[in-house]
Amino acid sequence: QVQLVESGGGLVQAGGSLRLSCAKSGTILWINHMAWYRQAPGKQREVVADITSGDTTNYADSVKGRFTISRDNAKNTVYLQMNSLKPEDTAVYYCNVGSRLGGDYWGKGTLVTVSS
């Protein structure tokens, strides 16, 4: 079965950096996009960054210029490099993979806490 496992979260001071990883196992056919979402306490889950099968990237305005999404197909892994972190970035970060065949896959999340 398909599985997505996030890692790399933790506690960091404002202005610091973290790199999140999402490792995929199993087969997903016709991948349309890979994305990172986040959900802060008391808030709705939101899209942070997205990368298409053609490597086009999109970012939420709140993270543009600070976060970078990338993939390594050989390692079956998607990354989110987070720089200049702010306390407002504190959230559980989730990996998402969508298939053009209709599949929608999620990881269980990794917690990022940014102290002021």
Side-chain angles (χ1 to χ4, degrees), residues 13-29:
Q13 292 189 94
S17 299
L18 286 174
R19 190 187 197 191
L20 305 184
S21 299
C22 172
K24 177 179 71 68
S25 63
T27 301
I28 303 176
L29 299 177

Side-chain angles (χ1 to χ4, degrees), residues 46-60:
E46 63 177 347
V47 177
V48 176
D50 178 283
I51 184 167
T52 70
S53 60
D55 290 331
T56 299
T57 58
N58 295 284
Y59 299 92

Side-chain angles (χ1 to χ4, degrees), residues 6-114:
E6 302 97 334
S7 62
L11 175 64
V12 64
Q13 292 189 94
S17 299
L18 286 174
R19 190 187 197 191
L20 305 184
S21 299
C22 172
K24 177 179 71 68
S25 63
T27 301
I28 303 176
L29 299 177
W30 295 92
I31 292 175
N32 183 60
H33 73 269
M34 301 178 182
W36 286 95
Y37 286 68
R38 70 184 181 187
Q39 186 166 24
K43 295 186 177 181
Q44 294 184 321
R45 190 172 299 186
E46 63 177 347
V47 177
V48 176
D50 178 283
I51 184 167
T52 70
S53 60
D55 290 331
T56 299
T57 58
N58 295 284
Y59 299 92
D61 288 340
S62 59
V63 307
K64 193 171 297 183
R66 299 188 297 120
F67 291 11
T68 302
I69 186 171
S70 62
R71 62 151 63 95
D72 187 333
N73 291 332
K75 296 181 179 180
N76 293 308
T77 302
V78 180
Y79 303 97
L80 184 68
Q81 178 67 46
M82 306 184 295
N83 299 325
S84 302
L85 283 162
K86 305 175 180 179
E88 304 89 86
D89 296 318
T90 295
V92 176
Y93 285 71
Y94 298 90
C95 179
N96 170 254
V97 178
S99 170
R100 282 177 281 176
L101 298 179
D104 193 26
Y105 305 92
W106 292 88
K108 294 183 178 180
T110 185
L111 177 63
V112 172
T113 302
V114 184

